[in-house]
mmCIF file of all heavy atoms in Angstrom:
data_model
loop_
_atom_site.group_PDB
_atom_site.id
_atom_site.type_symbol
_atom_site.label_atom_id
_atom_site.label_comp_id
_atom_site.label_asym_id
_atom_site.label_seq_id
_atom_site.Cartn_x
_atom_site.Cartn_y
_atom_site.Cartn_z
ATOM 1 N N TYR B 366 -115.816 42.460 4.541
ATOM 2 C CA TYR B 366 -116.293 42.620 3.167
ATOM 3 C C TYR B 366 -115.111 42.842 2.219
ATOM 4 O O TYR B 366 -114.121 43.466 2.586
ATOM 5 C CB TYR B 366 -117.273 43.787 3.063
ATOM 6 C CG TYR B 366 -118.559 43.594 3.837
ATOM 7 C CD1 TYR B 366 -119.419 44.659 4.053
ATOM 8 C CD2 TYR B 366 -118.930 42.348 4.347
ATOM 9 C CE1 TYR B 366 -120.614 44.501 4.756
ATOM 10 C CE2 TYR B 366 -120.119 42.184 5.049
ATOM 11 C CZ TYR B 366 -120.950 43.253 5.261
ATOM 12 O OH TYR B 366 -122.125 43.090 5.954
ATOM 13 N N GLY B 367 -115.275 42.373 0.984
ATOM 14 C CA GLY B 367 -114.136 42.310 0.075
ATOM 15 C C GLY B 367 -114.064 43.391 -0.991
ATOM 16 O O GLY B 367 -113.318 43.241 -1.960
ATOM 17 N N SER B 368 -114.816 44.468 -0.841
ATOM 18 C CA SER B 368 -114.748 45.565 -1.814
ATOM 19 C C SER B 368 -115.114 46.861 -1.106
ATOM 20 O O SER B 368 -115.831 46.844 -0.090
ATOM 21 C CB SER B 368 -115.723 45.316 -2.966
ATOM 22 O OG SER B 368 -117.066 45.357 -2.511
ATOM 23 N N MET B 369 -114.660 47.982 -1.624
ATOM 24 C CA MET B 369 -115.046 49.270 -1.049
ATOM 25 C C MET B 369 -116.541 49.507 -1.224
ATOM 26 O O MET B 369 -117.175 50.141 -0.387
ATOM 27 C CB MET B 369 -114.244 50.409 -1.696
ATOM 28 C CG MET B 369 -112.779 50.467 -1.295
ATOM 29 S SD MET B 369 -112.492 50.613 0.491
ATOM 30 C CE MET B 369 -113.102 52.274 0.799
ATOM 31 N N LEU B 370 -117.088 49.002 -2.319
ATOM 32 C CA LEU B 370 -118.535 49.118 -2.531
ATOM 33 C C LEU B 370 -119.299 48.641 -1.301
ATOM 34 O O LEU B 370 -120.252 49.282 -0.843
ATOM 35 C CB LEU B 370 -118.948 48.285 -3.756
ATOM 36 C CG LEU B 370 -120.440 48.225 -4.078
ATOM 37 C CD1 LEU B 370 -120.934 49.565 -4.600
ATOM 38 C CD2 LEU B 370 -120.733 47.117 -5.098
ATOM 39 N N GLU B 371 -118.862 47.491 -0.756
ATOM 40 C CA GLU B 371 -119.542 46.932 0.414
ATOM 41 C C GLU B 371 -119.055 47.586 1.710
ATOM 42 O O GLU B 371 -119.846 47.861 2.609
ATOM 43 C CB GLU B 371 -119.301 45.419 0.470
ATOM 44 C CG GLU B 371 -119.925 44.658 -0.683
ATOM 45 C CD GLU B 371 -119.312 43.278 -0.848
ATOM 46 O OE1 GLU B 371 -118.316 43.157 -1.595
ATOM 47 O OE2 GLU B 371 -119.800 42.327 -0.208
ATOM 48 N N ILE B 372 -117.734 47.817 1.798
ATOM 49 C CA ILE B 372 -117.174 48.387 3.034
ATOM 50 C C ILE B 372 -117.782 49.767 3.296
ATOM 51 O O ILE B 372 -118.161 50.094 4.422
ATOM 52 C CB ILE B 372 -115.633 48.464 2.931
ATOM 53 C CG1 ILE B 372 -115.038 47.046 2.851
ATOM 54 C CG2 ILE B 372 -115.055 49.244 4.112
ATOM 55 C CD1 ILE B 372 -113.560 47.011 2.479
ATOM 56 N N SER B 373 -117.874 50.580 2.235
ATOM 57 C CA SER B 373 -118.454 51.924 2.403
ATOM 58 C C SER B 373 -119.965 51.914 2.119
ATOM 59 O O SER B 373 -120.589 52.966 2.117
ATOM 60 C CB SER B 373 -117.752 52.923 1.478
ATOM 61 O OG SER B 373 -118.222 52.784 0.151
ATOM 62 N N TRP B 374 -120.497 50.755 1.895
ATOM 63 C CA TRP B 374 -121.929 50.554 1.583
ATOM 64 C C TRP B 374 -122.403 51.609 0.577
ATOM 65 O O TRP B 374 -123.155 52.499 0.889
ATOM 66 C CB TRP B 374 -122.787 50.544 2.849
ATOM 67 C CG TRP B 374 -124.042 49.744 2.649
ATOM 68 C CD1 TRP B 374 -125.297 50.252 2.441
ATOM 69 C CD2 TRP B 374 -124.162 48.316 2.602
ATOM 70 N NE1 TRP B 374 -126.189 49.217 2.256
ATOM 71 C CE2 TRP B 374 -125.532 48.014 2.357
ATOM 72 C CE3 TRP B 374 -123.261 47.238 2.722
ATOM 73 C CZ2 TRP B 374 -126.004 46.703 2.244
ATOM 74 C CZ3 TRP B 374 -123.725 45.945 2.610
ATOM 75 C CH2 TRP B 374 -125.080 45.680 2.368
ATOM 76 N N LYS B 375 -121.844 51.455 -0.651
ATOM 77 C CA LYS B 375 -122.191 52.346 -1.771
ATOM 78 C C LYS B 375 -121.806 53.790 -1.502
ATOM 79 O O LYS B 375 -122.462 54.718 -1.994
ATOM 80 C CB LYS B 375 -123.700 52.298 -2.041
ATOM 81 C CG LYS B 375 -124.089 51.540 -3.269
ATOM 82 C CD LYS B 375 -125.597 51.465 -3.375
ATOM 83 C CE LYS B 375 -126.159 52.268 -4.519
ATOM 84 N NZ LYS B 375 -127.628 52.098 -4.641
ATOM 85 N N GLY B 376 -120.782 53.987 -0.675
ATOM 86 C CA GLY B 376 -120.318 55.347 -0.405
ATOM 87 C C GLY B 376 -121.023 56.021 0.751
ATOM 88 O O GLY B 376 -120.727 57.176 1.068
ATOM 89 N N THR B 377 -121.935 55.314 1.406
ATOM 90 C CA THR B 377 -122.684 55.946 2.509
ATOM 91 C C THR B 377 -121.936 55.876 3.840
ATOM 92 O O THR B 377 -122.321 56.554 4.799
ATOM 93 C CB THR B 377 -124.064 55.275 2.689
ATOM 94 O OG1 THR B 377 -123.858 53.875 2.980
ATOM 95 C CG2 THR B 377 -124.886 55.408 1.410
ATOM 96 N N ARG B 378 -120.914 55.035 3.926
ATOM 97 C CA ARG B 378 -120.160 54.907 5.174
ATOM 98 C C ARG B 378 -118.674 55.034 4.872
ATOM 99 O O ARG B 378 -117.961 54.032 4.818
ATOM 100 C CB ARG B 378 -120.402 53.532 5.808
ATOM 101 C CG ARG B 378 -121.859 53.223 6.099
ATOM 102 C CD ARG B 378 -121.981 51.768 6.572
ATOM 103 N NE ARG B 378 -123.363 51.303 6.522
ATOM 104 C CZ ARG B 378 -123.718 50.009 6.578
ATOM 105 N NH1 ARG B 378 -122.795 49.070 6.683
ATOM 106 N NH2 ARG B 378 -124.990 49.663 6.520
ATOM 107 N N PRO B 379 -118.182 56.254 4.661
ATOM 108 C CA PRO B 379 -116.787 56.431 4.288
ATOM 109 C C PRO B 379 -115.847 55.851 5.357
ATOM 110 O O PRO B 379 -116.196 55.816 6.538
ATOM 111 C CB PRO B 379 -116.640 57.949 4.197
ATOM 112 C CG PRO B 379 -118.025 58.487 4.071
ATOM 113 C CD PRO B 379 -118.913 57.518 4.783
ATOM 114 N N VAL B 380 -114.694 55.427 4.897
ATOM 115 C CA VAL B 380 -113.712 54.809 5.788
ATOM 116 C C VAL B 380 -112.611 55.838 6.074
ATOM 117 O O VAL B 380 -112.057 56.442 5.143
ATOM 118 C CB VAL B 380 -113.098 53.560 5.124
ATOM 119 C CG1 VAL B 380 -112.092 52.899 6.061
ATOM 120 C CG2 VAL B 380 -114.203 52.582 4.722
ATOM 121 N N ARG B 381 -112.309 56.042 7.345
ATOM 122 C CA ARG B 381 -111.297 57.028 7.714
ATOM 123 C C ARG B 381 -109.900 56.412 7.596
ATOM 124 O O ARG B 381 -109.656 55.309 8.074
ATOM 125 C CB ARG B 381 -111.539 57.538 9.131
ATOM 126 C CG ARG B 381 -110.622 58.710 9.532
ATOM 127 C CD ARG B 381 -111.099 59.368 10.815
ATOM 128 N NE ARG B 381 -112.373 60.045 10.640
ATOM 129 C CZ ARG B 381 -112.507 61.322 10.228
ATOM 130 N NH1 ARG B 381 -111.428 62.056 9.969
ATOM 131 N NH2 ARG B 381 -113.696 61.852 10.092
ATOM 132 N N MET B 382 -109.002 57.135 6.963
ATOM 133 C CA MET B 382 -107.610 56.702 6.821
ATOM 134 C C MET B 382 -106.763 57.324 7.943
ATOM 135 O O MET B 382 -107.190 58.302 8.576
ATOM 136 C CB MET B 382 -107.061 57.131 5.454
ATOM 137 C CG MET B 382 -107.741 56.463 4.267
ATOM 138 S SD MET B 382 -107.382 54.689 4.143
ATOM 139 C CE MET B 382 -109.051 54.022 4.199
ATOM 140 N N PRO B 383 -105.538 56.814 8.154
ATOM 141 C CA PRO B 383 -104.700 57.327 9.256
ATOM 142 C C PRO B 383 -104.388 58.822 9.141
ATOM 143 O O PRO B 383 -104.118 59.472 10.155
ATOM 144 C CB PRO B 383 -103.423 56.490 9.130
ATOM 145 C CG PRO B 383 -103.861 55.233 8.481
ATOM 146 C CD PRO B 383 -104.954 55.622 7.530
ATOM 147 N N ASP B 384 -104.418 59.394 7.958
ATOM 148 C CA ASP B 384 -104.110 60.825 7.817
ATOM 149 C C ASP B 384 -105.368 61.685 7.952
ATOM 150 O O ASP B 384 -105.318 62.893 7.695
ATOM 151 C CB ASP B 384 -103.426 61.100 6.477
ATOM 152 C CG ASP B 384 -104.339 60.840 5.290
ATOM 153 O OD1 ASP B 384 -105.383 60.162 5.472
ATOM 154 O OD2 ASP B 384 -104.031 61.309 4.175
#
Side-chain angles (χ1 to χ4, degrees):
Chain B
Y366 295 167
S368 66
M369 288 303 291
L370 177 71
E371 295 162 270
I372 295 169
S373 78
W374 206 257
K375 254 176 111 176
T377 60
R378 302 173 195 164
V380 181
R381 187 168 293 272
M382 295 291 122
D384 66 344

